[in-house]
Amino acid sequence: MAATSTPNRTVLERFPAGGPRGSWPAEEFAADRRSAGQPAEVVMDLRTDTFLVIVRGGAR
């Protein structure tokens, strides 16, 4: 998993927006990260039509 950073967030993973109905891979990935103690959340990148799993503040 390659993380990328901007000044206020670290992107942990990217998921395409067109997943199968009833499938939420970005939310599942974020939940796994949260259960491991990382404050991950999901945001939508409208420019690329992807869901990003991020950690705010650039923390890993």
Side-chain angles (χ1 to χ4, degrees):
M1 158 176 57
T4 59
S5 292
T6 63
N8 61 356
R9 72 179 185 193
T10 298
V11 178
L12 302 176
E13 194 66 65
R14 300 169 191 274
F15 294 88
R21 184 179 191 119
S23 174
W24 298 91
E27 292 291 347
E28 293 165 2
F29 182 84
D32 288 344
R33 300 310 323 138
R34 286 191 296 271
S35 70
Q38 204 168 30
E41 61 184 286
V42 178
V43 297
M44 180 70 183
D45 182 351
L46 295 174
R47 185 178 56 80
T48 62
D49 196 30
T50 57
F51 290 108
L52 306 176
V53 178
I54 67 165
V55 176
R56 294 199 188 270
R60 287 186 184 216

